[in-house]
Amino acid sequence: MEYNFSEIEKKWQQQWTKNGSYKVSNDADKPKFYVLDMFPYPSGAGLHVGHPLGYIASDIYARYKRLKGFNVLHPMGYDAFGLPAEQYAIDHGIHPAVSTENNIKNFRQQLDNIGFCFDWDRQVLTSEPSYYKWTQWIFLQLFKGWYDRKQNKAMPISDLVQRLEAEGNKHHPCPGEPKLRFTAEEWKGFDHRRQQEILMNYRLAYCGLGEVNWCEALGTVLANDEVVNGVSERGGFPVIKKKLRQWYLRITDYADRLLEGLEKVDFSDAMKEMQTNWIGKSFGAEVTFDVHTPGAPTTGNPASVPGGPAVSDSAANTPGGPGAHRLTVYTTRPDTIFGVDFMVVAPEHELIEKITSSEQRQAVEEYIAYVKSRSERERMAEKKITGCFTGAYAINPFSGLQIPIWISEYVLAGYGTGAIMAVPCGDDRDFKFAQHFGIPITNIIGDYYNGKEANATKEAKLQNSDFLDGIVMKDAIVIVINKLEERGIGIRKTNYRMRDAAFSRQRYWGEPFPIVWQGGEQSEVPEHGGAQPGQSSIATPLDEKDLPLELPHVEKYGPGPEGEGPLANVASWTARHLETNTMPGYAGSSWYFLRYMDPHNEDVFCSRQASDYWGQVDLYIGGTEHAVGHLLYSRMWTKFLYDLDQIGHDEPYKRLVNQGMIQGSSRFVYRVELKGTQEVEELARKTPVFISCGLRAIEGTPELHELVTMAVRNIFNNAAIEISQIAYSQLHVDVNIVDGVELETAKFKKWRTEYNNAEFILEEGKYICGVEVEKMSKSKFNTVNPDDLVNRYGADTFRMYEMFLGPVEQSKPWDTKGIEGVHRFLRKLWRLFFDETKGRIWTTDKVTDAEFKILYKTIKKAEDDTERFSFNTGVSALMIGVNELTDLKCHKKEVLEKLVIILTPYAPHVCEELWQLIGNEGSVLDAPYPKVEEKYLVESAKNYPIAINGKTRTEMNIALDATQQQVEALVMADEVVKKWLEGGAPKKIIYVKNKMINVVI
RNA sequence: ACCUGGGUGGCGGAAUUGGUAGACGCGCUGGACUUAAAAUCCAGUUUCCCGCAACGGAAGUACGGGUUCAACUCCCGUCCCGGGUACCA
């Protein structure tokens, strides 16, 4: 009787489906456990071996918890809206709904092959109207909500309106326009339009202007990814920044709660760190500097600046006439105010054109043009220091000194005020900038500054700092802030690096906004960036009973006339004045974990009963690439729904485990490009010549030239061939036609018609490919399809091998080779029960202590490893167990059936089969997880390693209850130890019970 | 550039709390079984040195320092690779 995996797996997959083995009920007397995977985007490329890694891990854990007696929810679905399907539609004319459906069918087939325990009755699809109805509904609640900072929670906007009517906005300043103040009377005096304008600036989902990458030639907005070297990736057309009306989520209102929430969830420290840094909460001050441009009239003595509005960075309402400008910076280190040697403003800063001196104007304009040609990504990644002096000076409010104002791309417009005060002795980037441009550096920290690099210490006693001299920096911070506030030239300020989340896309394949623009044309975008977009129209929510607002069918996916989304071209849509933007990819994924709990509910997004039963996701598995996007958004939505009392918990995920990426291991061939006579080049064009990787290493040498010449003469059978120059190009080759690193040349010739008559320059008779570890991707020909492996080795082997590859949380390159070993393990397990010739060999004989010891040792290790997600060592423990039982020729049912149970989460099919074959009733899926009997594991002695000065020299078997004295006596009597001591006495003997012994001499 | 993770044999990796570095598996080498192959089983496999051999010695966890009786593990610095950096998902 052989281990026939394909029959077994087919049989049990059918059986489990038939029996509804994976259906999950919303009420059970068992404790609940919710295991969730980050659902996939159903890409056209299908699954590669990297996808299932996390799913297998979660599947093992879900099955393990089920064996442990939990009611386990383990659902799956698809994040089905997104850019690739739309791009595919543009390229191939296939509607995204159609390609998405096909892709999902394919995904499902592939997933089913692997034998997951998903409850498919609960599948969610974000692109289904029955699902996005509720995405739209939640959006409407956000639109109709505002954040009450007094109560620290979201409230309905109607509640705000009542307050504004009663008391104006003095207790609830407007987050979108902090300086706006009005009384109840003023509020009542505003017309409807103005009131709506103001409310927009309170809403949690609001409209504003945002900069996008605009490509005129493609007539579309591009993602940062799609912009390379300042031009579009497709076509290489110029890309500029353009302001468009956008929707935003006011996630910044939740910044503090998103930070606090991290304390009560079980995420990795790295993950918490990343989110914390992303939110980037900092404390400091905004400081306003007067600006003076030589050649223009100035405001005179800084001390005489009138109180007025404390902070303003615009000249418009600054008294003092033309030329009187002010620059506001944000700093976390106001204590260094006397060390400010220059100011830097972002190239986008609106003050630049007003303050630039006539001498510097041309240089500034050139610099700004240069910055515009660079993508955001490049600006950040640039090591090179660039900048330009504006010709203007800021006046240090304390010293009265003139400080040059520079522009540089390392200051970003979106952070703080878009301007900084630079303190080169205390900040590394400022230091490098000062050095590069020869700006003199003021030392305010004495010996802490060595003149060679900046020192960001807060411990130094300040020098050259007037009234701060002698004060330790960290104490000076608050002194300066108080002084700033006293004099009305600054305020204390908490700043967040995180910005509000852009929530609209000028695309087709996403959720439509349930918004109608009333009283005007929504496409009117003010030319000069006025505070309010679409001034003549008012965003009005659709009635909730009219949801879902279904995405209309379109034939073309091009952008609208003003760069709006494709919906702007749909006459019926624009006739109703519906919003033409759609929601971004992360909308649907921000709450899908709730829908799984109650997927078919038509009355609410998820009943309170269901969400109270399932509560938080107990285990969430997904990649770190979502660390700051999806995870923050979904955490915010959860908190919002909690504020509205729609759900009873305010953190979606109790525990998060990040699976690593499985990287592709790419293979390369090297095509030789010959330069020589026309005849040679012609020949080489018709007959591509490839050189083996190892030979290529001697590139440029005469040896290579000779080698290639000889080879080419040989190939073309023409001894007269002369080659003037050799180059080669590195090309990806499909990993599936490479055996290890050796190219299967016959398959290669068939791979592409142009290679049909390829010739090879071999090393030692083989063509060796180049190797590089890269992201797994179709275009790199390094993807490995799980289906092939499942067909060849079975799902159980595949599952175990993916786990055996290494720690789930670690990224590692894929290598198919080792899969044989895991397959051998399962066959070896099978042979504990059945013999090929003899058939059944399992018995009901009495189990020996030695056999029990192996069993319980294995259970203990496997359970422990499964519990802590160390699946690779778990598999290893199971292998060791089977090896040892095989060595003892143990075929006893009592041992084997317990082994089968603990293996079930990893290899469910073969375990179910064996479970039945040894005569058990019911399914192994619900078998009780065996308890470890510790009595078989008790040891009385240990083989201690004996180290001399920390280096292991010998071993000794010593009783575990030995005392220090006993151990010392035994050790001193040992021959090896004596030899090392050479008659002397040891300085010390260190004895760590159950660990080791170290003799120090 | 910034944030974050990683670097251990020919390869994937193990070493859970500072305590025998290389578990388990792949590959490779040799052997057994077989007409042969597959399958299976046995032995060996970090590098270098000495030696007939057993035993033995030295080095060794990216690199350079440090702490400690003891460091893959902790600290300081450097290099390299992956992920993220706000419109890929």
Side-chain angles (χ1 to χ4, degrees), chain A residues 262-277:
Chain A
L262 289 175
E263 286 163 25
K264 54 185 179 188
V265 294
D266 185 3
F267 294 5
S268 69
D269 288 344
M271 180 61 54
K272 291 183 180 181
E273 198 79 18
M274 276 191 269
Q275 294 199 7
T276 302
N277 292 337

Side-chain angles (χ1 to χ4, degrees), chain A residues 163-172 182-185 187:
Chain A
R163 286 161 196 248
L164 298 182
E165 281 170 357
E167 55 184 38
N169 80 338
K170 65 181 171 191
H171 295 306
H172 299 284
F182 51 81
T183 63
E185 278 60 44
W187 169 258

Side-chain angles (χ1 to χ4, degrees), chain A residues 15-34:
Chain A
Q15 199 73 20
W16 289 328
T17 306
K18 202 180 105 199
N19 297 344
S21 303
Y22 299 135
K23 280 207 171 56
V24 181
S25 137
N26 267 12
D27 55 322
D29 16 344
K30 297 180 191 169
K32 71 94 188 181
F33 201 88
Y34 187 178

Side-chain angles (χ1 to χ4, degrees), chain A residues 908-951:
Chain A
H909 309 86
V910 67
C911 289
E912 184 77 294
E913 177 78 5
L914 290 169
W915 181 253
Q916 306 280 319
L917 286 174
I918 56 173
N920 284 296
E921 294 288 316
S923 169
V924 75
L925 302 180
D926 290 309
Y929 203 87
K931 286 209 167 46
V932 176
E933 303 246 13
E934 295 283 351
K935 66 176 175 185
Y936 292 103
L937 299 177
V938 178
E939 303 273 1
S940 60
K942 179 186 166 67
N943 240 359
Y944 281 93
I946 314 293
I948 312 289
N949 285 343
K951 190 93 194 161

Side-chain angles (χ1 to χ4, degrees), chain A residues 671-912:
Chain A
R671 181 168 180 170
V672 182
E673 284 156 15
L674 302 168
K675 299 266 154 49
T677 61
Q678 251 190 343
E679 189 201 355
V680 174
E681 291 183 21
E682 183 63 24
L683 276 174
R685 235 191 315 279
K686 282 186 192 150
T687 306
V689 177
F690 294 88
I691 185 164
S692 185
C693 178
L695 303 174
R696 171 202 60 114
I698 51 174
E699 181 193 1
T701 61
E703 288 91 339
L704 176 71
H705 192 269
E706 195 185 323
L707 182 102
V708 172
T709 304
M710 296 305 288
V712 168
R713 284 177 182 167
N714 212 357
I715 286 165
F716 296 115
N717 200 14
N718 178 349
I721 287 178
E722 286 298 335
I723 296 165
S724 60
Q725 209 190 331
I726 301 166
Y728 60 83
S729 49
Q730 174 173 293
L731 304 164
H732 277 97
V733 59
D734 190 338
V735 292
N736 296 296
I737 58 171
V738 179
D739 179 17
V741 290
E742 186 186 349
L743 183 71
E744 301 183 31
T745 50
K747 286 186 186 170
F748 179 75
K749 287 184 182 185
K750 285 185 204 142
W751 186 47
R752 291 268 186 280
T753 42
E754 50 187 306
Y755 300 154
N756 279 347
N757 50 352
E759 292 286 348
F760 304 92
I761 304 176
L762 307 175
E763 49 186 317
E764 292 170 14
K766 294 173 176 176
Y767 188 95
I768 303 300
C769 295
V771 176
E772 222 170 274
V773 172
E774 306 178 285
K775 205 168 180 161
M776 212 174 251
S777 119
K778 224 179 172 181
S779 64
K780 297 185 168 78
F781 299 109
N782 62 2
T783 59
V784 180
N785 185 321
D787 303 0
D788 302 341
L789 295 167
V790 169
N791 282 336
R792 214 147 108 213
Y793 299 100
D796 286 335
T797 296
F798 179 73
R799 291 164 61 101
M800 289 194 84
Y801 182 57
E802 285 240 350
M803 293 297 100
F804 189 57
L805 220 47
V808 187
E809 293 175 84
Q810 201 171 294
S811 290
K812 58 235 158 205
W814 177 264
D815 179 9
T816 303
K817 276 198 162 166
I819 198 167
E820 295 275 358
V822 174
H823 193 59
R824 252 170 237 160
F825 158 75
L826 287 178
R827 285 206 307 260
K828 199 164 181 180
L829 169 82
W830 187 267
R831 286 201 305 274
L832 287 174
F833 297 77
F834 299 100
D835 185 278
E836 237 174 272
T837 48
K838 284 182 265 178
R840 168 187 158 168
I841 53 171
W842 59 271
T843 69
T844 49
D845 293 351
K846 196 167 176 295
V847 181
T848 65
D849 282 4
E851 289 162 344
F852 270 136
K853 186 173 175 184
I854 293 168
L855 173 69
Y856 290 121
K857 187 186 74 183
T858 303
I859 294 175
K860 190 175 184 170
K861 176 78 173 139
E863 178 177 0
D864 191 39
D865 286 349
T866 306
E867 195 69 62
R868 64 190 180 95
F869 300 96
S870 182
F871 302 115
N872 56 329
T873 54
V875 172
S876 160
L878 290 160
M879 285 174 167
I880 294 168
V882 165
N883 287 345
E884 291 179 351
L885 289 175
T886 303
D887 289 346
L888 290 186
K889 299 195 167 48
C890 172
H891 305 290
K892 295 163 185 169
K893 177 175 170 176
E894 195 184 344
V895 169
L896 296 182
E897 71 181 0
K898 286 191 170 137
L899 195 68
V900 162
I901 299 172
I902 59 166
L903 181 63
T904 296
Y906 293 82
H909 309 86
V910 67
C911 289
E912 184 77 294

Side-chain angles (χ1 to χ4, degrees), chain A residues 20 176 230 351 431 450 474 482 515 522 534 558 650 699 861:
Chain A
L351 202 57
F431 178 81
N450 62 9
K474 59 184 177 192
N482 287 340
I515 292 288
Q522 58 154 311
D650 77 339
E699 181 193 1
K861 176 78 173 139

Side-chain angles (χ1 to χ4, degrees), chain A residues 361-415:
Chain A
R361 188 158 298 275
Q362 196 187 340
V364 165
E365 278 166 7
E366 279 168 13
Y367 184 70
I368 291 174
Y370 154 78
V371 171
K372 272 197 176 147
S373 74
R374 290 159 60 74
S375 70
E376 198 127 322
R377 197 68 56 85
E378 288 171 311
R379 274 177 64 176
M380 286 185 291
E382 188 56 81
K383 283 185 189 174
K384 200 170 72 189
I385 297 157
T386 68
C388 181
F389 179 46
T390 59
Y393 294 87
I395 313 297
N396 187 316
F398 292 112
S399 66
L401 290 174
Q402 292 206 345
I403 308 165
I405 300 175
W406 288 68
I407 320 170
S408 178
E409 55 184 333
Y410 81 90
V411 173
L412 301 174
Y415 180 68

